[in-house]
């Protein structure tokens, strides 16, 4: 189903018999790689263009440089079926392409604005090599107004190529699944046939397609990420209040989420949001609003609360160890910014560990897949191969990423390895009964601290 906010005909049948023509995807990063592989898997001939030859060499061996479920298998399959071609030459990649997707990075500048230099460079060089009926598409996340501004770069040899924007909504750790089952496909552009051509690429996907103007499409992308970040910061403030008044944030979140106008998703209280998207996009949206004279207070509050959440957590660890972290062994379970990925960009783990180490703690950390990416950020931190090795001799066990393997730990076994039985769960992900029954004091977020039965009558030590 195609919803069209900009064009007269809301229904466009894009499930034609003809397979879409060749597509060039520029940028073999997270978005570009997943998009290229998934489009190729649907039977479209895709060329994936990148300037990084080492990355291309790795990809040619069927290995994705990121940890993403199903991606390696699909990559190997589309290479073998001849549907994906890896290119380091723009002319070669763009020649004969009916659509060119720009999926290069938009990293934050020091003031939070998105750096669009890679988008401009990739677009300019692709336009120079494109045919007269090629549709250019911005897949990178760009601030509102960018696509309209970039139109001037689409003139070549006296002609102007259509430019659309098609933001992506993939989540790390479930990117292939999200590509195949998105809540919707959003396309922004002023040229209706060009937008339809882009929509045809997603014809095999059972999702509504919203076609609108480019600036609205850009704002939908930022709006989704910013709104989800607001939800997380909101529940974290509620969690803080729960600790003050003795309520349970999980029950409160269930109650809030049961109202279908709110929904339970992204009401997980804990260490807050990290990753390469939410922190960057919230700041970039704030900057875009400022540029137009608007002070978007809500966004600033969400960022502030998110930062506070990390320091509140370290303070909680400190209280659990009676205020002194000097020389105390802290076992940190989880380094990735969320489970299912080896990405540690803006991860809570980095801030928390640095802070603990600044307070004199002896930190040993582990993660199922993110140890080597985290080691680049934390050169002084010891890494353990697994959770049981990590907790050996620990004065406190700290959960930073809610990997399923940490939920499934044998807490009786952990109890035999640690020096002191204290768990501080930054993601509210453990089975509290299992932890407490193994003799641990269990501190979590927005819930009362639980102590093992033998110590339940002891004078209360305020640690949460
Ligand atoms: C996010 C969006 O969810 C995607 O739709 C979007 O396409 C992507 O950004 C992007 O712009 O590329 P992602 O960064 O992969 O995806 O991660 P999320 O699953 O959204 O989680 C973001 C952060 O919020 C993580 O640190 C996670 O631990 C935290 N979070 C999430 C919470 O603290 N509580 C929750 O209830 C949910």
């Amino acid at each position: 189903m195609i919803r069209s906010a900009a064009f007269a005909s809301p229904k466009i049948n894009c499930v034609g018999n003809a397979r879409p023509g060749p597509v060039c995807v520029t940028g073999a990063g997270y978005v570009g790689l997943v998009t290229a592989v998934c489009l190729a898997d649907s039977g479209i001939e895709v060329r994936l263009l990148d300037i990084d030859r080492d990355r291309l060499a790795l990809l040619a061996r069927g290995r994705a440089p990121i940890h993403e479920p199903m991606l390696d298998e699909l990559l190997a399959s589309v290479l073998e079926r001849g549907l994906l071609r890896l290119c380091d030459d723009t002319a070669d990649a763009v020649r004969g392409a009916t659509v060119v997707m720009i999926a290069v990075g938009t990293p934050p500048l020091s003031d939070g604005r998105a750096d669009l230099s890679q988008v401009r460079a990739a677009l300019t060089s692709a336009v120079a090599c494109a045919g007269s009926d090629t549709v250019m598409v911005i897949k990178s996340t760009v601030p509102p107004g960018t696509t309209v501004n970039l139109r001037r770069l689409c003139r070549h040899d006296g002609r102007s190529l259509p430019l659309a924007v098609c933001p992506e909504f993939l989540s790390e750790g479930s990117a292939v699944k999200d590509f195949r089952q998105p809540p919707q496909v959003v396309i922004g552009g002023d040229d209706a046939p060009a937008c339809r051509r882009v929509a045809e690429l997603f014809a095999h996907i059972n999702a509504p397609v919203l076609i609108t103007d480019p600036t609205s499409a850009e704002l939908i992308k930022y709006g989704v990420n910013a709104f989800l970040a607001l939800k997380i910061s909101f529940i974290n403030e509620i969690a803080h209040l729960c600790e003050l008044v003795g309520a349970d944030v999980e029950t409160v979140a269930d109650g809030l989420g049961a109202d279908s106008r709110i929904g339970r998703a992204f009401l997980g209280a804990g260490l807050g949001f990290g990753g390469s998207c939410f922190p960057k996009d919230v700041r970039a949206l704030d900057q875009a609003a400022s540029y137009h004279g608007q002070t978007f207070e809500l966004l600033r509050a969400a960022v502030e609360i998110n930062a506070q959440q990390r320091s509140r957590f370290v303070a909680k660890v400190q209280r659990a160890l009676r205020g002194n972290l000097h020389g105390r062994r802290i076992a940190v379970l989880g380094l990735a910014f969320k489970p299912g990925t080896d990405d540690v960009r803006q991860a809570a783990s980095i801030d928390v560990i640095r802070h603990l180490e600044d307070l004199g703690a002896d930190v040993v950390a582990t993660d199922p897949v993110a140890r080597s990416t985290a080691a680049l950020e934390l050169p002084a931190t010891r890494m353990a191969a697994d959770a049981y090795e990590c907790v050996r001799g620990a004065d406190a066990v700290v959960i930073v990423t809610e990997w399923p393997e940490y939920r499934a730990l044998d807490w009786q076994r952990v109890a035999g390895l640690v020096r002191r039985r204290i768990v501080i769960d930054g993601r509210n992900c453990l089975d509290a009964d299992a932890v407490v029954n193994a003799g641990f004091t269990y501190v979590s977020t927005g819930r009362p601290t639980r102590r093992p039965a033998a110590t339940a009558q002891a004078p209360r030590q305020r640690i949460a």
Side-chain angles (χ1 to χ4, degrees):
M1 197 251 291
I2 293 186
R3 280 182 292 143
S4 171
F7 305 123
S9 161
K11 286 246 175 204
I12 302 167
N13 179 17
C14 61
V15 193
N17 290 330
R19 177 184 293 178
V23 171
C24 168
V25 177
T26 300
Y30 168 76
V31 173
L33 177 59
V34 174
T35 304
V37 167
C38 290
L39 286 179
D41 186 54
S42 74
I44 297 171
E45 182 198 323
V46 179
R47 299 87 177 264
L48 178 57
L49 171 67
D50 202 288
I51 49 171
D52 183 341
R53 290 192 179 154
D54 292 340
R55 178 171 285 243
L56 293 178
L58 185 70
L59 292 171
R61 296 199 295 276
R63 292 272 314 281
I66 49 172
H67 174 87
E68 193 65 43
M70 292 191 281
L71 192 56
D72 278 350
E73 295 86 323
L74 280 184
L75 172 64
S77 156
V78 291
L79 286 171
E80 198 183 302
R81 285 149 64 203
L83 288 164
L84 181 70
R85 194 153 62 79
L86 304 168
C87 307
D88 62 3
D89 178 67
T90 306
D92 177 33
V94 170
R95 192 178 306 118
T98 54
V99 174
V100 174
M101 291 187 160
I102 307 294
V104 293
T106 52
L109 293 164
S110 56
D111 62 2
R113 280 180 304 135
D115 178 355
L116 299 174
S117 55
Q118 292 179 51
V119 173
R120 281 193 289 267
L123 184 62
T124 305
S125 57
V127 167
C129 303
S132 56
D133 63 344
T134 310
V135 178
M136 311 303 295
V137 178
I138 305 294
K139 196 74 187 144
S140 310
T141 298
V142 292
T146 302
T147 303
V148 169
N149 281 332
L150 291 176
R151 271 195 209 129
R152 65 195 158 77
L153 300 181
C154 291
R155 291 194 201 105
H156 178 60
D157 275 352
R159 62 199 159 85
S160 194
L161 301 181
L163 179 67
V165 59
C166 178
E168 61 84 26
F169 298 93
L170 315 172
S171 291
E172 289 191 31
S174 57
V176 171
K177 184 175 146 282
D178 293 345
F179 187 94
R180 291 171 168 176
Q181 299 161 17
Q184 65 176 342
V185 174
V186 176
I187 299 165
D190 295 324
D191 180 321
C195 290
R196 272 191 228 109
R197 177 108 56 93
V198 180
E200 279 165 14
L201 301 178
F202 302 95
H204 61 287
I205 287 170
N206 183 23
V209 177
L210 171 64
I211 297 182
T212 182
D213 67 277
T215 307
S216 299
E218 290 159 346
L219 208 39
I220 290 170
K221 165 68 190 177
Y222 272 112
V224 167
N225 277 4
F227 190 78
L228 295 175
L230 291 182
K231 261 186 116 175
I232 296 169
S233 282
F234 176 80
I235 200 65
N236 281 332
E237 281 291 82
I238 292 282
H240 188 55
L241 188 55
C242 285
E243 289 176 10
L244 298 173
V245 300
D248 182 328
V249 73
E250 296 303 323
T251 312
V252 175
D254 287 344
L256 288 172
D259 186 325
S260 61
R261 293 170 301 176
I262 298 173
R264 182 64 167 87
F266 287 78
L267 288 181
L271 273 160
F273 57 83
S276 64
C277 305
F278 283 5
K280 165 176 85 75
D281 293 349
V282 172
R283 283 191 74 204
L285 184 57
D286 179 27
Q287 282 293 333
S290 293
Y291 177 79
H292 292 281
Q294 179 190 0
T295 307
F296 207 146
E297 299 287 3
L298 264 179
L299 297 180
R300 294 180 184 184
V303 170
E304 178 67 21
I305 292 161
N306 201 51
Q308 262 176 37
Q309 215 50 22
R310 296 176 182 190
S311 26
R312 277 178 183 159
F313 184 75
V314 171
K316 206 176 264 189
V317 177
Q318 209 170 8
R319 279 201 299 278
L321 289 167
R322 295 170 193 259
N324 184 11
L325 289 179
H326 200 81
R328 296 294 172 87
R329 168 80 57 88
I330 311 288
V332 173
L333 305 189
L335 294 160
F337 83 94
K338 68 174 191 178
T341 174
D342 61 352
D343 196 341
V344 298
R345 284 175 288 177
Q346 302 290 319
S349 63
I350 308 297
D351 274 353
V352 166
I353 290 174
R354 283 188 185 145
H355 199 157
L356 290 171
E357 288 178 341
D358 286 348
L359 292 168
D362 169 22
V363 176
V364 184
T366 192
D367 188 282
V369 297
R371 293 192 299 279
S372 44
T373 45
L376 300 172
E377 301 286 325
L378 300 163
T381 306
R382 261 182 304 150
M383 298 286 165
D386 64 28
Y388 294 110
E389 188 190 316
C390 187
V391 301
R392 202 176 286 277
D395 291 296
V397 177
V398 162
I399 309 287
V400 173
T401 315
E402 66 276 34
W403 284 96
E405 31 280 78
Y406 302 152
R407 295 177 204 264
L409 283 176
D410 174 352
W411 287 97
Q412 298 290 348
R413 183 176 164 198
V414 175
L417 295 169
V418 296
R419 195 141 64 108
R420 298 183 67 187
R421 295 182 187 179
I422 298 172
V423 172
I424 302 116
D425 182 354
R427 297 290 178 184
N428 283 1
C429 65
L430 301 181
D431 173 351
D433 289 341
V435 175
V436 173
N437 290 342
F440 285 87
T441 294
Y442 178 63
V443 184
S444 55
T445 306
R447 296 184 298 184
T449 292
R450 292 194 45 193
R451 294 178 178 76
T455 60
Q457 303 307 316
R460 276 178 70 97
Q461 175 197 359
R462 189 175 175 277
I463 55 179

